[in-house]
Amino acid sequence: MGEDGSRKRLTRAFGMPVGDDQNSKTAGERGPVLLEDVHLLEKLGHFDRERIPERVVHAKGAGAGGYFEVTADVTRYTKAKFLSEIGKRTDVFVRFSTVGGEKGSADSERDPRGFAIKFYTEEGNYDLVGNNTPVFFIRDPMKFPDFIHTQKRNPATNLKDPDAFWDFLSLTPESIHQVTILFSDRGTPATYRNMNGYSSHTYKWYNEEGDHYWVQYHFKTDQGIKNLTREGADVMRSKDPDHATRDLYDAIARGDYPSWTLEMQIMTPEQAKDYRFDILDITKVWPHADFPPVKIGKLVLNRNPANYFAEVEQAAFSPSSLVPGIAASPDKMLQARLFSYHDTHVHRLGPNYHLIPVNAPRNSPEQSYQRDGFMRTDSNGGGGPNYWPNSFDGPGPDISAKEPTFDVSGKAGHHPYSHPNDDFVQPGNLYRDVMTEQDRENLVGNIVSHLGEAKKRIQLRQTALFFKADSDYGRRVATGLGLDAKDVEKLAHMSQEDRAKAT
Ligand code: NDP
């Protein structure tokens, strides 16, 4: 209603008033419809274009706005302005998601959960695009499209394909750590509020002096970890496929704002040199005993989106959105994500997706020489110069924003990972030392119910990997699947190449 109590006037896209929005314009009472009903044409034409391309991964998601507050002094590690002062707050927008399912898929699917944060800092937007798992399935981006194909639908049947799922994983042994976490009950979080978020990658922080540190981010849920069991997730899939989306929205609507404590693991370059794990390998964590996480901030979500499409669907996060004081590490997966996320947003939303309000840099307006393109909805630089260098007072580079130089060396080539046998150490530790007996029982049950759908030769190959992580782990999965544990053990002692040939 308008201020005087009258209803606002319905208009067409360009503001012209609409006289009738219920009856099409026809030749006579019973039609046919006239082509000159331009309001009808515009209404149908826009409706026909309502869907934008679905995200190829992370299609199903929920989001909210809020803030990040600094709670510890980290200025000796990073010069990032938004982290420069205790008590400093920065607006954020966060999107949670599942990975493999389509936009209408169930929130309770077994899947990693995306945990993407956009910080609207005074030095431009900083995106941290993480997951609820501290590790990932693969460490080389060359494998990514293949991996995702195996998590999606079979090209012939259009059904989910347990053979492809496990065939790829069993031929990709570095996935065993992430598979162990995914098939624990952490693979089905009770809600988005009850899970942690991790950078998973190692990033680089550098300070005013140009000294750098390697860091990992851990957003620990203040609501506590809560998971669904396999049975609980199955029930939820039919009872309320949108349960996590609903839970987040309802909690914020009732003023029960979810929060996370940011803990950092920080490593000096000297500590990194001879560290027992490769710090650039995303299939590994940094054990807490070696690098105890330090609390540095709080993330609070206190605002529901006013419009889902405008904010959540159009939100676009990219690991390439970095601010001075924070840089990428040479982690190969991260390097490829620096390209791929921006690239997919350009495909999905267009070359000017940075102008969409949820993505626009609120606290550091764009001042560049990029011009034109589809949906250039701002003043497009007006009459100012569109080239650099210029002598017409156009924006110029600020050398203080340069990342300090760093050494690179070595031979160019397609280098395989040099110590693959350590892939089994951390999942073994997780199984033996971190999980309770109940966790282990649920893990084995979850694996058996899914892997049991794959061909027997694939079951054998995959179970050998569980055996290599821990012999009890392998034996219990073998028993659950009705496999002969001796066959599994024999395969476990073969090289990966021989195991692939034998199965
Ligand atoms: P710690 O005992 O210090 O840490 C174990 C961590 O494991 C916990 O702090 C918790 O992480 C996480 N955890 C607890 N239960 C589960 C579960 N069912 N599934 C997955 N993760 C769980 O040992 P380490 O640091 O030496 O790590 C041992 C193993 O724990 C690692 O190999 C890795 O598999 C796992 N882990 C380690 C993390 C790390 O950054 N060091 C982070 C997460 C898991 P949180 O506090 O983050 O909830």
Side-chain angles (χ1 to χ4, degrees):
M1 294 286 174
E3 272 171 27
D4 60 354
S6 64
R7 191 180 291 282
K8 280 192 207 156
R9 191 164 70 169
L10 179 70
T11 73
R12 288 179 51 207
F14 295 103
M16 304 80 96
V18 171
D20 190 332
D21 192 49
Q22 292 292 291
N23 304 295
S24 307
K25 192 170 185 182
T26 51
E29 278 181 28
R30 301 182 60 228
V33 176
L34 294 177
L35 191 58
E36 68 174 45
D37 189 346
V38 285
H39 171 54
L40 174 69
L41 300 187
E42 184 179 295
K43 191 171 177 179
L44 292 179
H46 194 277
F47 175 74
D48 292 347
R49 291 162 181 80
E50 272 184 10
R51 290 292 168 270
I52 58 175
E54 183 173 289
R55 287 169 163 90
V56 64
V57 284
H58 296 273
K60 175 79 187 290
Y67 65 88
F68 175 77
E69 181 172 325
V70 179
T71 57
D73 182 2
V74 290
T75 52
R76 54 188 276 235
Y77 303 115
T78 176
K79 65 174 192 173
K81 288 225 171 80
F82 80 104
L83 296 174
S84 63
E85 240 179 279
I86 294 176
K88 184 160 185 170
R89 284 189 178 186
T90 301
D91 283 350
V92 300
F93 191 81
V94 173
R95 183 173 183 270
F96 304 111
S97 53
T98 53
V99 181
E102 296 87 4
K103 205 169 165 325
S105 59
D107 288 343
S108 65
E109 292 291 347
R110 181 170 306 286
D111 215 355
R113 301 294 189 269
F115 196 118
I117 311 168
K118 190 180 292 296
F119 300 80
Y120 299 96
T121 91
E122 63 268 58
E123 292 177 301
N125 290 354
Y126 169 48
D127 292 351
L128 188 64
V129 198
N131 278 334
N132 73 328
T133 58
V135 294
F136 197 62
F137 298 90
I138 51 173
R139 57 178 155 246
D140 195 300
M142 194 71 96
K143 303 184 182 189
F144 188 78
D146 305 271
F147 164 63
I148 292 298
H149 287 169
T150 69
Q151 310 293 297
K152 298 264 185 184
R153 292 173 184 273
N154 176 288
T157 62
N158 201 35
L159 299 170
K160 290 285 174 82
D161 185 347
D163 282 338
F165 184 100
W166 291 106
D167 195 32
F168 180 88
L169 294 174
S170 61
L171 293 170
T172 311
E174 67 268 31
S175 62
I176 187 74
H177 195 185
Q178 175 80 327
V179 166
T180 302
I181 294 175
L182 179 64
F183 279 84
S184 78
D185 287 343
R186 286 199 178 197
T188 49
T191 74
Y192 289 134
R193 295 181 301 129
N194 293 108
M195 63 184 204
N196 295 336
Y198 303 89
S199 61
S200 312
H201 297 290
T202 294
Y203 283 88
K204 189 198 277 178
W205 274 7
Y206 57 92
N207 62 19
E208 288 288 358
E209 285 71 46
D211 305 322
H212 78 265
Y213 299 84
W214 301 114
V215 298
Q216 295 241 355
Y217 300 64
H218 303 245
F219 286 88
K220 298 289 195 75
T221 171
D222 294 331
Q223 292 67 239
I225 296 271
K226 277 194 203 139
N227 302 311
L228 298 172
T229 59
R230 179 172 79 260
E231 296 78 10
D234 284 347
V235 169
M236 198 57 92
R237 196 178 302 129
S238 52
K239 200 173 130 198
D240 184 2
D242 304 313
H243 83 277
T245 306
R246 189 185 316 285
D247 172 84
L248 180 68
Y249 192 95
D250 288 353
I252 294 174
R254 68 173 177 265
D256 180 9
Y257 302 140
S259 65
W260 287 260
T261 300
L262 173 57
E263 299 183 2
M264 299 298 295
Q265 286 182 298
I266 302 175
M267 188 186 284
T268 65
E270 292 69 40
Q271 288 172 316
K273 258 184 206 145
D274 300 312
Y275 188 51
R276 58 195 171 119
F277 295 112
D278 181 346
I279 66 149
L280 303 177
D281 176 358
I282 193 173
T283 70
K284 307 284 187 303
V285 296
W286 303 356
H288 292 141
D290 296 349
F291 295 95
V294 188
K295 288 183 185 159
I296 74 134
K298 201 170 206 44
L299 173 72
V300 178
L301 298 182
N302 60 7
R303 186 182 66 78
N304 272 322
N307 182 283
Y308 181 86
F309 182 86
E311 296 189 63
V312 187
E313 189 62 10
Q314 294 197 109
F317 302 83
S318 171
S320 58
S321 291
L322 296 159
V323 291
I326 303 176
S329 73
D331 173 341
K332 297 174 195 179
M333 283 295 290
L334 175 58
Q335 295 275 315
R337 292 178 78 211
L338 299 177
F339 157 73
S340 197
Y341 280 63
H342 172 72
D343 186 54
T344 199
H345 299 318
V346 169
H347 161 66
R348 198 169 68 85
L349 301 165
N352 288 310
Y353 74 91
H354 61 288
L355 299 177
I356 297 170
V358 67
N359 300 322
R362 285 181 200 167
N363 297 314
S364 173
E366 182 205 9
Q367 296 176 152
S368 78
Y369 294 102
Q370 270 81 273
R371 294 287 188 272
D372 306 352
F374 285 116
M375 298 306 294
R376 186 78 217 199
T377 55
D378 64 350
S379 62
N380 194 31
N386 58 1
Y387 59 92
W388 176 260
N390 67 66
S391 58
F392 293 98
D393 213 20
D398 169 2
I399 57 162
S400 75
K402 272 186 169 177
E403 183 188 340
T405 56
F406 55 90
D407 293 331
V408 287
S409 63
K411 290 198 167 131
H414 295 271
H415 299 291
Y417 185 62
S418 51
H419 26 101
N421 275 330
D422 71 1
D423 287 337
F424 303 96
V425 175
Q426 294 193 352
N429 292 342
L430 174 63
Y431 180 84
R432 279 183 303 273
D433 305 333
V434 178
M435 289 187 173
T436 62
E437 180 46 31
Q438 184 65 56
D439 290 336
R440 286 189 280 264
E441 198 180 311
N442 293 5
L443 169 72
V444 170
N446 295 341
I447 291 170
V448 167
S449 100
H450 196 294
L451 180 55
E453 300 289 316
K455 288 188 169 46
K456 189 172 170 202
R457 65 184 178 84
I458 297 174
Q459 291 180 18
L460 280 162
R461 196 196 298 143
Q462 179 65 38
T463 307
L465 299 185
F466 296 130
F467 189 96
K468 281 174 77 73
D470 183 278
S471 55
D472 176 68
Y473 185 8
R475 281 198 195 96
R476 283 168 76 166
V477 173
T479 306
L481 291 168
L483 303 174
D484 187 335
K486 287 207 194 74
D487 293 343
V488 170
E489 188 168 352
K490 213 160 87 190
L491 284 168
H493 289 123
M494 290 180 182
S495 69
Q496 177 64 16
E497 208 175 44
D498 288 345
R499 193 160 46 243
K501 274 189 207 143
T503 49

